Short mmCIF file of all heavy atoms in Angstrom, two decimals:
data_model
loop_
_atom_site.label_atom_id
_atom_site.label_comp_id
_atom_site.label_asym_id
_atom_site.label_seq_id
_atom_site.Cartn_x
_atom_site.Cartn_y
_atom_site.Cartn_z
N MET A 62 0.84 -1.17 0.00
CA MET A 62 0.00 0.00 0.00
C MET A 62 0.89 1.24 0.00
O MET A 62 1.76 1.40 0.84
CB MET A 62 -0.90 -0.04 1.23
CG MET A 62 -1.94 1.04 1.26
SD MET A 62 -3.04 0.88 2.68
CE MET A 62 -4.53 0.44 1.85
N THR A 63 0.63 2.14 -0.94
CA THR A 63 1.45 3.34 -1.05
C THR A 63 0.99 4.39 -0.06
O THR A 63 -0.09 4.30 0.52
CB THR A 63 1.38 3.92 -2.47
OG1 THR A 63 0.05 4.38 -2.69
CG2 THR A 63 1.76 2.88 -3.51
N THR A 64 1.81 5.40 0.12
CA THR A 64 1.48 6.48 1.04
C THR A 64 0.20 7.19 0.60
O THR A 64 -0.63 7.55 1.43
CB THR A 64 2.65 7.47 1.12
OG1 THR A 64 3.82 6.77 1.51
CG2 THR A 64 2.35 8.57 2.12
N GLY A 65 0.04 7.40 -0.69
CA GLY A 65 -1.16 8.06 -1.21
C GLY A 65 -2.42 7.27 -0.91
O GLY A 65 -3.45 7.84 -0.57
N GLN A 66 -2.33 5.96 -1.01
CA GLN A 66 -3.48 5.11 -0.71
C GLN A 66 -3.82 5.12 0.77
O GLN A 66 -4.97 4.98 1.15
CB GLN A 66 -3.22 3.67 -1.17
CG GLN A 66 -3.19 3.52 -2.66
CD GLN A 66 -2.77 2.12 -3.06
OE1 GLN A 66 -1.98 1.47 -2.37
NE2 GLN A 66 -3.28 1.65 -4.19
N MET A 67 -2.83 5.30 1.61
CA MET A 67 -3.07 5.35 3.05
C MET A 67 -3.67 6.69 3.46
O MET A 67 -4.42 6.76 4.44
CB MET A 67 -1.77 5.10 3.82
CG MET A 67 -1.28 3.68 3.69
SD MET A 67 0.34 3.30 4.41
CE MET A 67 0.66 4.53 5.59
N LEU A 68 -3.36 7.74 2.73
CA LEU A 68 -3.86 9.06 3.08
C LEU A 68 -5.31 9.28 2.66
O LEU A 68 -5.99 10.13 3.25
CB LEU A 68 -2.97 10.14 2.46
CG LEU A 68 -1.57 10.26 3.05
CD1 LEU A 68 -0.79 11.33 2.31
CD2 LEU A 68 -1.63 10.57 4.52
N VAL A 69 -5.80 8.55 1.69
CA VAL A 69 -7.18 8.75 1.21
C VAL A 69 -8.20 8.51 2.32
O VAL A 69 -9.05 9.37 2.55
CB VAL A 69 -7.46 7.89 -0.04
CG1 VAL A 69 -8.93 7.89 -0.39
CG2 VAL A 69 -6.64 8.40 -1.21
N PRO A 70 -8.15 7.38 3.05
CA PRO A 70 -9.14 7.19 4.12
C PRO A 70 -9.03 8.24 5.23
O PRO A 70 -10.05 8.68 5.76
CB PRO A 70 -8.84 5.80 4.67
CG PRO A 70 -8.03 5.12 3.64
CD PRO A 70 -7.33 6.19 2.87
N ILE A 71 -7.82 8.65 5.54
CA ILE A 71 -7.62 9.68 6.56
C ILE A 71 -8.22 11.00 6.09
O ILE A 71 -8.89 11.70 6.87
CB ILE A 71 -6.13 9.83 6.90
CG1 ILE A 71 -5.63 8.55 7.57
CG2 ILE A 71 -5.88 11.04 7.79
CD1 ILE A 71 -4.14 8.47 7.73
N ALA A 72 -8.02 11.35 4.84
CA ALA A 72 -8.57 12.59 4.29
C ALA A 72 -10.10 12.54 4.28
O ALA A 72 -10.76 13.54 4.58
CB ALA A 72 -8.03 12.83 2.89
N VAL A 73 -10.67 11.40 3.96
CA VAL A 73 -12.13 11.26 3.95
C VAL A 73 -12.69 11.42 5.36
O VAL A 73 -13.69 12.13 5.57
CB VAL A 73 -12.55 9.90 3.35
CG1 VAL A 73 -14.02 9.62 3.57
CG2 VAL A 73 -12.22 9.85 1.87
N ILE A 74 -12.06 10.81 6.34
CA ILE A 74 -12.52 10.93 7.73
C ILE A 74 -12.42 12.37 8.21
O ILE A 74 -13.34 12.90 8.85
CB ILE A 74 -11.71 9.98 8.65
CG1 ILE A 74 -12.09 8.53 8.34
CG2 ILE A 74 -11.94 10.29 10.11
CD1 ILE A 74 -11.19 7.50 8.98
N LEU A 75 -11.31 13.04 7.92
CA LEU A 75 -11.15 14.44 8.33
C LEU A 75 -12.15 15.36 7.62
O LEU A 75 -12.67 16.30 8.22
CB LEU A 75 -9.72 14.91 8.06
CG LEU A 75 -8.65 14.32 8.98
CD1 LEU A 75 -7.27 14.78 8.54
CD2 LEU A 75 -8.92 14.71 10.42
N ALA A 76 -12.43 15.08 6.35
CA ALA A 76 -13.41 15.88 5.62
C ALA A 76 -14.80 15.70 6.21
O ALA A 76 -15.55 16.68 6.36
CB ALA A 76 -13.39 15.50 4.14
N CYS A 77 -15.16 14.48 6.55
CA CYS A 77 -16.48 14.23 7.16
C CYS A 77 -16.58 14.91 8.53
O CYS A 77 -17.62 15.49 8.86
CB CYS A 77 -16.74 12.74 7.28
SG CYS A 77 -17.04 11.92 5.72
N ALA A 78 -15.52 14.82 9.31
CA ALA A 78 -15.53 15.46 10.63
C ALA A 78 -15.63 16.98 10.48
O ALA A 78 -16.34 17.64 11.25
CB ALA A 78 -14.27 15.08 11.40
N GLY A 79 -14.93 17.55 9.52
CA GLY A 79 -15.02 18.99 9.29
C GLY A 79 -16.40 19.41 8.82
O GLY A 79 -16.93 20.43 9.25
N TYR A 80 -17.00 18.60 7.96
CA TYR A 80 -18.34 18.89 7.45
C TYR A 80 -19.36 18.85 8.59
O TYR A 80 -20.26 19.68 8.65
CB TYR A 80 -18.71 17.87 6.37
CG TYR A 80 -20.07 18.09 5.76
CD1 TYR A 80 -20.24 19.07 4.79
CD2 TYR A 80 -21.16 17.33 6.14
CE1 TYR A 80 -21.48 19.28 4.21
CE2 TYR A 80 -22.40 17.54 5.57
CZ TYR A 80 -22.56 18.51 4.59
OH TYR A 80 -23.79 18.72 4.04
N LEU A 81 -19.22 17.90 9.49
CA LEU A 81 -20.17 17.73 10.59
C LEU A 81 -19.74 18.46 11.87
O LEU A 81 -20.35 18.24 12.92
CB LEU A 81 -20.37 16.24 10.88
CG LEU A 81 -21.07 15.46 9.78
CD1 LEU A 81 -21.06 13.98 10.09
CD2 LEU A 81 -22.47 15.97 9.56
N LEU A 82 -18.74 19.31 11.80
CA LEU A 82 -18.26 20.02 12.98
C LEU A 82 -19.36 20.78 13.73
O LEU A 82 -19.43 20.68 14.96
CB LEU A 82 -17.12 20.97 12.60
CG LEU A 82 -16.46 21.71 13.76
CD1 LEU A 82 -15.77 20.71 14.69
CD2 LEU A 82 -15.45 22.71 13.23
N PRO A 83 -20.27 21.51 13.05
CA PRO A 83 -21.33 22.17 13.80
C PRO A 83 -22.20 21.19 14.60
O PRO A 83 -22.54 21.44 15.75
CB PRO A 83 -22.15 22.88 12.72
CG PRO A 83 -21.19 23.10 11.62
CD PRO A 83 -20.29 21.90 11.64
N PHE A 84 -22.52 20.05 14.00
CA PHE A 84 -23.31 19.04 14.70
C PHE A 84 -22.53 18.47 15.88
O PHE A 84 -23.09 18.29 16.98
CB PHE A 84 -23.70 17.92 13.74
CG PHE A 84 -24.22 16.70 14.45
CD1 PHE A 84 -25.46 16.71 15.07
CD2 PHE A 84 -23.47 15.54 14.49
CE1 PHE A 84 -25.93 15.59 15.73
CE2 PHE A 84 -23.93 14.42 15.15
CZ PHE A 84 -25.17 14.44 15.77
N LEU A 85 -21.25 18.21 15.70
CA LEU A 85 -20.44 17.65 16.78
C LEU A 85 -20.33 18.63 17.95
O LEU A 85 -20.37 18.22 19.11
CB LEU A 85 -19.06 17.27 16.25
CG LEU A 85 -19.04 16.15 15.20
CD1 LEU A 85 -17.64 15.99 14.62
CD2 LEU A 85 -19.54 14.86 15.78
N ILE A 86 -20.21 19.91 17.65
CA ILE A 86 -20.16 20.93 18.71
C ILE A 86 -21.49 20.99 19.45
O ILE A 86 -21.53 21.02 20.68
CB ILE A 86 -19.79 22.31 18.12
CG1 ILE A 86 -18.33 22.31 17.66
CG2 ILE A 86 -20.03 23.43 19.14
CD1 ILE A 86 -17.94 23.53 16.87
N ALA A 87 -22.59 21.00 18.70
CA ALA A 87 -23.91 21.04 19.33
C ALA A 87 -24.16 19.80 20.18
O ALA A 87 -24.74 19.89 21.27
CB ALA A 87 -25.00 21.18 18.27
N ASP A 88 -23.71 18.65 19.71
CA ASP A 88 -23.87 17.42 20.49
C ASP A 88 -23.05 17.48 21.77
O ASP A 88 -23.52 17.08 22.83
CB ASP A 88 -23.45 16.22 19.63
CG ASP A 88 -23.68 14.90 20.33
OD1 ASP A 88 -24.78 14.71 20.90
OD2 ASP A 88 -22.77 14.06 20.32
N HIS A 89 -21.84 17.98 21.67
CA HIS A 89 -20.98 18.10 22.85
C HIS A 89 -21.59 19.06 23.88
O HIS A 89 -21.50 18.81 25.09
CB HIS A 89 -19.59 18.57 22.44
CG HIS A 89 -18.65 18.73 23.59
ND1 HIS A 89 -18.12 17.65 24.27
CD2 HIS A 89 -18.16 19.83 24.20
CE1 HIS A 89 -17.35 18.09 25.24
NE2 HIS A 89 -17.34 19.41 25.21
N LYS A 90 -22.21 20.12 23.40
CA LYS A 90 -22.83 21.11 24.29
C LYS A 90 -24.22 20.69 24.76
O LYS A 90 -24.83 21.38 25.56
CB LYS A 90 -22.94 22.46 23.58
CG LYS A 90 -21.61 23.15 23.36
CD LYS A 90 -21.79 24.46 22.61
CE LYS A 90 -22.71 25.39 23.34
NZ LYS A 90 -22.82 26.71 22.75
N LYS A 91 -24.74 19.55 24.26
CA LYS A 91 -26.10 19.10 24.57
C LYS A 91 -27.12 20.19 24.23
O LYS A 91 -27.98 20.53 25.02
CB LYS A 91 -26.24 18.69 26.04
CG LYS A 91 -25.24 17.67 26.51
CD LYS A 91 -25.55 16.32 25.95
CE LYS A 91 -24.64 15.28 26.58
NZ LYS A 91 -23.96 14.46 25.64
N HIS A 92 -26.98 20.74 23.04
CA HIS A 92 -27.83 21.84 22.59
C HIS A 92 -29.27 21.38 22.48
O HIS A 92 -29.55 20.26 22.06
CB HIS A 92 -27.33 22.35 21.22
CG HIS A 92 -27.76 23.74 20.91
ND1 HIS A 92 -29.04 24.05 20.51
CD2 HIS A 92 -27.08 24.91 20.95
CE1 HIS A 92 -29.13 25.34 20.30
NE2 HIS A 92 -27.94 25.89 20.57
N SER A 93 -30.22 22.25 22.86
CA SER A 93 -31.63 21.88 22.84
C SER A 93 -32.16 21.68 21.42
O SER A 93 -33.15 20.99 21.22
CB SER A 93 -32.46 22.96 23.55
OG SER A 93 -32.35 24.20 22.87
N ARG A 94 -31.53 22.26 20.44
CA ARG A 94 -31.97 22.16 19.04
C ARG A 94 -31.06 21.24 18.22
O ARG A 94 -30.87 21.46 17.03
CB ARG A 94 -32.01 23.55 18.41
CG ARG A 94 -32.93 24.52 19.07
CD ARG A 94 -34.34 24.09 18.83
NE ARG A 94 -35.25 25.15 19.29
CZ ARG A 94 -36.49 25.17 19.01
NH1 ARG A 94 -37.04 24.23 18.29
NH2 ARG A 94 -37.26 26.13 19.48
N LEU A 95 -30.53 20.22 18.85
CA LEU A 95 -29.60 19.32 18.18
C LEU A 95 -30.16 18.71 16.89
O LEU A 95 -29.47 18.74 15.86
CB LEU A 95 -29.13 18.23 19.14
CG LEU A 95 -28.11 17.25 18.61
CD1 LEU A 95 -26.80 17.96 18.29
CD2 LEU A 95 -27.86 16.15 19.62
N PRO A 96 -31.40 18.18 16.88
CA PRO A 96 -31.89 17.60 15.62
C PRO A 96 -32.01 18.63 14.49
O PRO A 96 -31.71 18.32 13.33
CB PRO A 96 -33.27 17.05 15.99
CG PRO A 96 -33.22 16.85 17.47
CD PRO A 96 -32.31 17.92 17.98
N ALA A 97 -32.41 19.84 14.82
CA ALA A 97 -32.54 20.89 13.80
C ALA A 97 -31.16 21.30 13.27
O ALA A 97 -30.99 21.53 12.07
CB ALA A 97 -33.27 22.09 14.36
N ILE A 98 -30.20 21.40 14.16
CA ILE A 98 -28.84 21.75 13.74
C ILE A 98 -28.27 20.64 12.85
O ILE A 98 -27.64 20.92 11.83
CB ILE A 98 -27.93 22.00 14.97
CG1 ILE A 98 -28.41 23.25 15.71
CG2 ILE A 98 -26.47 22.13 14.56
CD1 ILE A 98 -27.75 23.46 17.06
N PHE A 99 -28.54 19.39 13.22
CA PHE A 99 -28.08 18.28 12.39
C PHE A 99 -28.72 18.34 11.00
O PHE A 99 -28.04 18.15 9.99
CB PHE A 99 -28.39 16.93 13.06
CG PHE A 99 -28.02 15.76 12.21
CD1 PHE A 99 -26.69 15.44 12.01
CD2 PHE A 99 -28.99 15.00 11.60
CE1 PHE A 99 -26.34 14.36 11.21
CE2 PHE A 99 -28.66 13.91 10.81
CZ PHE A 99 -27.32 13.59 10.62
N GLY A 100 -30.03 18.60 10.96
CA GLY A 100 -30.72 18.69 9.67
C GLY A 100 -30.18 19.81 8.80
O GLY A 100 -29.95 19.62 7.60
N LEU A 101 -29.98 20.98 9.41
CA LEU A 101 -29.43 22.11 8.66
C LEU A 101 -28.03 21.77 8.15
O LEU A 101 -27.72 22.02 6.98
CB LEU A 101 -29.38 23.35 9.55
CG LEU A 101 -28.72 24.59 8.96
CD1 LEU A 101 -29.53 25.11 7.78
CD2 LEU A 101 -28.56 25.67 10.01
N ASN A 102 -27.22 21.19 9.02
CA ASN A 102 -25.85 20.84 8.64
C ASN A 102 -25.83 19.79 7.53
O ASN A 102 -25.07 19.89 6.58
CB ASN A 102 -25.10 20.36 9.86
CG ASN A 102 -23.62 20.20 9.65
OD1 ASN A 102 -22.95 19.58 10.45
ND2 ASN A 102 -23.06 20.78 8.62
N LEU A 103 -26.69 18.79 7.66
CA LEU A 103 -26.71 17.71 6.68
C LEU A 103 -27.22 18.18 5.31
O LEU A 103 -26.64 17.85 4.28
CB LEU A 103 -27.58 16.57 7.19
CG LEU A 103 -27.57 15.29 6.37
CD1 LEU A 103 -26.19 14.65 6.42
CD2 LEU A 103 -28.62 14.33 6.89
N LEU A 104 -28.29 18.97 5.32
CA LEU A 104 -28.92 19.37 4.05
C LEU A 104 -28.27 20.58 3.39
O LEU A 104 -28.22 20.67 2.17
CB LEU A 104 -30.40 19.65 4.28
CG LEU A 104 -31.23 18.45 4.73
CD1 LEU A 104 -32.65 18.87 5.03
CD2 LEU A 104 -31.18 17.33 3.70
N PHE A 105 -27.81 21.53 4.20
CA PHE A 105 -27.29 22.78 3.63
C PHE A 105 -25.83 23.05 3.99
O PHE A 105 -25.29 24.10 3.64
CB PHE A 105 -28.15 23.96 4.07
CG PHE A 105 -29.57 23.85 3.61
CD1 PHE A 105 -30.58 23.53 4.50
CD2 PHE A 105 -29.89 24.04 2.28
CE1 PHE A 105 -31.88 23.41 4.08
CE2 PHE A 105 -31.19 23.93 1.85
CZ PHE A 105 -32.20 23.61 2.75
N GLY A 106 -25.18 22.11 4.67
CA GLY A 106 -23.79 22.29 5.05
C GLY A 106 -22.85 22.34 3.86
O GLY A 106 -21.75 22.88 3.97
N TRP A 107 -23.27 21.78 2.74
CA TRP A 107 -22.41 21.80 1.55
C TRP A 107 -22.26 23.20 0.99
O TRP A 107 -21.32 23.48 0.27
CB TRP A 107 -22.93 20.84 0.48
CG TRP A 107 -24.31 21.17 -0.01
CD1 TRP A 107 -25.49 20.76 0.54
CD2 TRP A 107 -24.65 22.00 -1.11
NE1 TRP A 107 -26.55 21.28 -0.17
CE2 TRP A 107 -26.06 22.05 -1.20
CE3 TRP A 107 -23.90 22.70 -2.05
CZ2 TRP A 107 -26.73 22.77 -2.18
CZ3 TRP A 107 -24.58 23.42 -3.03
CH2 TRP A 107 -25.97 23.45 -3.08
N THR A 108 -23.22 24.09 1.34
CA THR A 108 -23.04 25.50 0.97
C THR A 108 -22.30 26.16 2.13
O THR A 108 -22.50 25.82 3.29
CB THR A 108 -24.38 26.21 0.77
OG1 THR A 108 -25.07 26.30 2.02
CG2 THR A 108 -25.24 25.48 -0.24
N LEU A 109 -21.45 27.07 1.85
CA LEU A 109 -20.69 27.73 2.91
C LEU A 109 -21.62 28.47 3.86
O LEU A 109 -21.42 28.45 5.09
CB LEU A 109 -19.65 28.69 2.31
CG LEU A 109 -18.73 29.38 3.28
CD1 LEU A 109 -17.91 28.35 4.07
CD2 LEU A 109 -17.81 30.34 2.57
N ILE A 110 -22.67 29.08 3.34
CA ILE A 110 -23.62 29.82 4.17
C ILE A 110 -24.34 28.87 5.12
O ILE A 110 -24.53 29.18 6.31
CB ILE A 110 -24.61 30.61 3.30
CG1 ILE A 110 -23.87 31.71 2.55
CG2 ILE A 110 -25.74 31.19 4.13
CD1 ILE A 110 -24.69 32.44 1.51
N GLY A 111 -24.77 27.71 4.63
CA GLY A 111 -25.45 26.74 5.48
C GLY A 111 -24.56 26.19 6.57
O GLY A 111 -24.97 26.01 7.71
N TRP A 112 -23.30 25.94 6.24
CA TRP A 112 -22.35 25.43 7.22
C TRP A 112 -22.07 26.48 8.31
O TRP A 112 -22.05 26.17 9.49
CB TRP A 112 -21.05 25.03 6.53
CG TRP A 112 -20.10 24.29 7.43
CD1 TRP A 112 -20.07 22.96 7.65
CD2 TRP A 112 -19.05 24.87 8.22
NE1 TRP A 112 -19.06 22.65 8.53
CE2 TRP A 112 -18.42 23.80 8.89
CE3 TRP A 112 -18.58 26.16 8.42
CZ2 TRP A 112 -17.35 24.01 9.75
CZ3 TRP A 112 -17.51 26.36 9.27
CH2 TRP A 112 -16.91 25.29 9.92
N ILE A 113 -21.90 27.73 7.89
CA ILE A 113 -21.65 28.81 8.86
C ILE A 113 -22.88 29.02 9.74
O ILE A 113 -22.76 29.22 10.95
CB ILE A 113 -21.23 30.10 8.14
CG1 ILE A 113 -19.83 29.93 7.55
CG2 ILE A 113 -21.26 31.30 9.08
CD1 ILE A 113 -19.38 31.06 6.65
N ALA A 114 -24.08 28.98 9.15
CA ALA A 114 -25.30 29.13 9.93
C ALA A 114 -25.42 28.02 10.97
O ALA A 114 -25.78 28.28 12.13
CB ALA A 114 -26.52 29.13 9.00
N ALA A 115 -25.13 26.80 10.59
CA ALA A 115 -25.18 25.68 11.53
C ALA A 115 -24.13 25.85 12.63
O ALA A 115 -24.41 25.56 13.79
CB ALA A 115 -24.98 24.36 10.79
N LEU A 116 -22.96 26.33 12.27
CA LEU A 116 -21.91 26.55 13.26
C LEU A 116 -22.30 27.64 14.25
O LEU A 116 -22.14 27.47 15.47
CB LEU A 116 -20.59 26.91 12.57
CG LEU A 116 -19.39 27.13 13.48
CD1 LEU A 116 -19.04 25.84 14.22
CD2 LEU A 116 -18.20 27.62 12.68
N VAL A 117 -22.83 28.74 13.75
CA VAL A 117 -23.26 29.83 14.64
C VAL A 117 -24.37 29.35 15.57
O VAL A 117 -24.38 29.64 16.76
CB VAL A 117 -23.70 31.06 13.81
CG1 VAL A 117 -24.41 32.08 14.68
CG2 VAL A 117 -22.50 31.68 13.11
N TRP A 118 -25.32 28.59 15.02
CA TRP A 118 -26.42 28.07 15.81
C TRP A 118 -25.90 27.09 16.88
O TRP A 118 -26.35 27.10 18.02
CB TRP A 118 -27.42 27.38 14.90
CG TRP A 118 -28.78 27.15 15.48
CD1 TRP A 118 -29.24 27.52 16.71
CD2 TRP A 118 -29.87 26.50 14.84
NE1 TRP A 118 -30.54 27.13 16.86
CE2 TRP A 118 -30.95 26.50 15.73
CE3 TRP A 118 -30.02 25.92 13.60
CZ2 TRP A 118 -32.17 25.94 15.41
CZ3 TRP A 118 -31.25 25.36 13.29
CH2 TRP A 118 -32.31 25.38 14.19
N ALA A 119 -24.95 26.26 16.51
CA ALA A 119 -24.39 25.30 17.45
C ALA A 119 -23.64 26.01 18.58
O ALA A 119 -23.64 25.55 19.72
CB ALA A 119 -23.46 24.34 16.74
N LEU A 120 -23.01 27.13 18.27
CA LEU A 120 -22.26 27.87 19.28
C LEU A 120 -23.13 28.78 20.13
O LEU A 120 -22.68 29.28 21.16
CB LEU A 120 -21.15 28.69 18.61
CG LEU A 120 -20.03 27.87 17.98
CD1 LEU A 120 -19.10 28.77 17.18
CD2 LEU A 120 -19.27 27.09 19.03
N SER A 121 -24.38 29.01 19.70
CA SER A 121 -25.28 29.87 20.47
C SER A 121 -25.71 29.16 21.74
O SER A 121 -25.74 27.93 21.81
CB SER A 121 -26.50 30.24 19.63
OG SER A 121 -27.32 29.10 19.45
N PRO A 122 -26.07 29.93 22.77
CA PRO A 122 -26.50 29.30 24.02
C PRO A 122 -27.82 28.57 23.83
O PRO A 122 -28.69 29.01 23.08
CB PRO A 122 -26.64 30.46 25.00
CG PRO A 122 -26.61 31.69 24.20
CD PRO A 122 -26.02 31.38 22.86
N SER A 123 -27.95 27.47 24.53
CA SER A 123 -29.19 26.70 24.49
C SER A 123 -30.22 27.39 25.38
O SER A 123 -29.89 27.97 26.40
CB SER A 123 -28.92 25.28 24.99
OG SER A 123 -30.06 24.50 24.87
N ASN A 124 -31.49 27.30 25.01
CA ASN A 124 -32.54 27.98 25.75
C ASN A 124 -33.19 27.09 26.81
O ASN A 124 -34.31 27.34 27.22
CB ASN A 124 -33.62 28.49 24.79
CG ASN A 124 -33.12 29.62 23.93
OD1 ASN A 124 -32.23 30.34 24.33
ND2 ASN A 124 -33.69 29.76 22.75
N LEU A 125 -32.51 26.07 27.26
CA LEU A 125 -33.06 25.19 28.28
C LEU A 125 -32.67 25.67 29.66
O LEU A 125 -31.58 26.18 29.88
CB LEU A 125 -32.53 23.77 28.10
CG LEU A 125 -33.03 22.98 26.90
CD1 LEU A 125 -32.38 21.61 26.89
CD2 LEU A 125 -34.52 22.84 26.92
N SER A 126 -33.57 25.47 30.63
CA SER A 126 -33.23 25.74 32.01
C SER A 126 -32.33 24.62 32.51
O SER A 126 -32.15 23.60 31.85
CB SER A 126 -34.49 25.82 32.87
OG SER A 126 -35.10 24.54 32.94
N ASN A 127 -31.76 24.77 33.68
CA ASN A 127 -30.86 23.75 34.22
C ASN A 127 -31.57 22.42 34.43
O ASN A 127 -30.99 21.37 34.20
CB ASN A 127 -30.24 24.23 35.54
CG ASN A 127 -29.23 25.33 35.33
OD1 ASN A 127 -28.70 25.48 34.24
ND2 ASN A 127 -28.98 26.11 36.36
N ASP A 128 -32.83 22.44 34.88
CA ASP A 128 -33.59 21.21 35.09
C ASP A 128 -33.83 20.50 33.76
O ASP A 128 -33.69 19.28 33.67
CB ASP A 128 -34.93 21.49 35.77
CG ASP A 128 -34.76 22.00 37.18
OD1 ASP A 128 -33.70 21.71 37.80
OD2 ASP A 128 -35.67 22.69 37.68
N GLN A 129 -34.22 21.25 32.75
CA GLN A 129 -34.47 20.65 31.45
C GLN A 129 -33.18 20.12 30.83
O GLN A 129 -33.17 19.08 30.20
CB GLN A 129 -35.11 21.67 30.50
CG GLN A 129 -36.52 22.05 30.86
CD GLN A 129 -37.02 23.20 30.03
OE1 GLN A 129 -36.26 24.11 29.69
NE2 GLN A 129 -38.30 23.18 29.70
N GLN A 130 -32.09 20.84 31.02
CA GLN A 130 -30.82 20.40 30.46
C GLN A 130 -30.33 19.12 31.12
O GLN A 130 -29.78 18.25 30.47
CB GLN A 130 -29.77 21.51 30.62
CG GLN A 130 -28.64 21.38 29.65
CD GLN A 130 -27.85 22.66 29.53
OE1 GLN A 130 -27.91 23.52 30.41
NE2 GLN A 130 -27.12 22.80 28.46
N ALA A 131 -30.57 18.98 32.43
CA ALA A 131 -30.20 17.74 33.12
C ALA A 131 -31.01 16.58 32.60
O ALA A 131 -30.51 15.46 32.47
CB ALA A 131 -30.40 17.91 34.62
N GLU A 132 -32.28 16.84 32.26
CA GLU A 132 -33.13 15.78 31.72
C GLU A 132 -32.68 15.36 30.33
O GLU A 132 -32.70 14.17 29.99
CB GLU A 132 -34.58 16.28 31.68
CG GLU A 132 -35.57 15.20 31.36
CD GLU A 132 -36.99 15.72 31.46
OE1 GLU A 132 -37.32 16.34 32.48
OE2 GLU A 132 -37.76 15.48 30.52
N VAL A 133 -32.24 16.31 29.52
CA VAL A 133 -31.77 16.00 28.17
C VAL A 133 -30.49 15.17 28.22
O VAL A 133 -30.29 14.27 27.41
CB VAL A 133 -31.53 17.30 27.37
CG1 VAL A 133 -30.78 17.03 26.08
CG2 VAL A 133 -32.86 17.99 27.09
N SER A 134 -29.62 15.43 29.18
CA SER A 134 -28.33 14.76 29.23
C SER A 134 -28.44 13.33 29.74
O SER A 134 -27.47 12.59 29.73
CB SER A 134 -27.34 15.55 30.09
OG SER A 134 -27.80 15.61 31.41
N ARG A 135 -29.60 12.91 30.20
CA ARG A 135 -29.77 11.52 30.67
C ARG A 135 -29.81 10.54 29.57
O ARG A 135 -30.03 10.63 28.50
CB ARG A 135 -31.07 11.40 31.46
CG ARG A 135 -30.98 12.09 32.79
CD ARG A 135 -32.23 11.87 33.56
NE ARG A 135 -32.24 12.80 34.68
CZ ARG A 135 -33.28 13.04 35.41
NH1 ARG A 135 -34.42 12.48 35.14
NH2 ARG A 135 -33.22 13.88 36.40
#
């Protein structure tokens, strides 16, 4: 296996992780709108505007109270 052949799977994994970065951030933050952020990222992330919108939304504060957020994290 050549070096180029070994780099292709790594590049694909990094590209997928970069594409889904807004979703991964929202998941890590336990964002209240996680399914909507995932949908926006999946459907419109291929456009730069859609990806940036999903990233901004993922970085925005969640509107859940502490009790609701504890329930979501279960």
Side-chain angles (χ1 to χ4, degrees):
M62 187 176 248
T63 67
T64 304
Q66 290 173 328
M67 291 174 21
L68 291 178
V69 169
I71 294 170
V73 169
I74 290 169
L75 289 176
C77 289
Y80 181 79
L81 293 173
L82 184 65
F84 166 71
L85 296 172
I86 290 171
D88 184 47
H89 180 72
K90 290 178 58 174
K91 306 287 188 232
H92 202 284
S93 63
R94 300 291 189 167
L95 183 64
I98 294 170
F99 176 71
L101 175 66
N102 190 195
L103 187 66
L104 297 176
F105 299 106
W107 60 273
T108 67
L109 184 60
I110 293 172
W112 189 87
I113 290 172
L116 182 63
V117 168
W118 198 2
L120 292 172
S121 70
S123 184
N124 291 333
L125 289 180
S126 68
N127 289 338
D128 294 335
Q129 291 171 324
Q130 202 163 20
E132 190 175 310
V133 168
S134 63
R135 289 184 193 166

